[in-house]
Amino acid sequence: KNGSPEGMPRAVKILENVLGEKSAMVAREIKIMNEILHPNVVQVFETFRESSTVYIFMELCTGGELSMAIAEAGRLGEQQAANVTSQMLSAVQYLQA
């Protein structure tokens, strides 16, 4: 789909036992993911299928889980919460357009 810059690390999501109805569901999900290009949504670069295993190569996000950051901090500051909320709402608005 959209190539990543040369030499940039990627994440690989591996889905095993993708057969039958699950295969059609995964194919639809990949089709949708390939159409999304937004700075607050993980970008998919390419996919590869080998037998019943699907490999999804995507943007590597190293910041960790939001829920873990909140749990570790106890709470987000007002500005942090505003930034996170703005980013999430921007992504949701894009996906619903």
Side-chain angles (χ1 to χ4, degrees):
K1 177 202 145 169
N2 304 316
S4 68
E6 288 286 323
M8 295 298 295
R10 298 181 183 183
V12 181
K13 182 176 184 178
I14 301 172
L15 306 173
E16 298 179 310
N17 299 316
V18 179
L19 301 167
E21 191 175 310
K22 185 176 180 182
S23 181
M25 181 183 72
V26 167
R28 281 191 305 273
E29 182 177 339
I30 289 171
K31 181 182 181 298
I32 292 167
M33 291 169 64
N34 278 326
E35 294 172 359
I36 296 171
L37 186 56
H38 187 276
N40 301 116
V41 178
V42 173
Q43 185 177 357
V44 171
F45 296 114
E46 57 188 293
T47 59
F48 175 73
R49 183 178 185 125
E50 181 178 71
S51 187
S52 64
T53 303
V54 176
Y55 302 87
I56 304 172
F57 297 85
M58 60 184 69
E59 177 181 6
L60 177 63
C61 299
T62 59
E65 298 286 332
L66 175 61
S67 60
M68 292 299 294
I70 294 170
E72 288 175 10
R75 66 184 193 100
L76 294 179
E78 186 175 336
Q79 187 59 50
Q80 285 179 306
N83 289 340
V84 169
T85 301
S86 176
Q87 291 173 6
M88 288 190 296
L89 292 175
S90 173
V92 170
Q93 181 181 16
Y94 171 83
L95 293 171
Q96 290 184 340

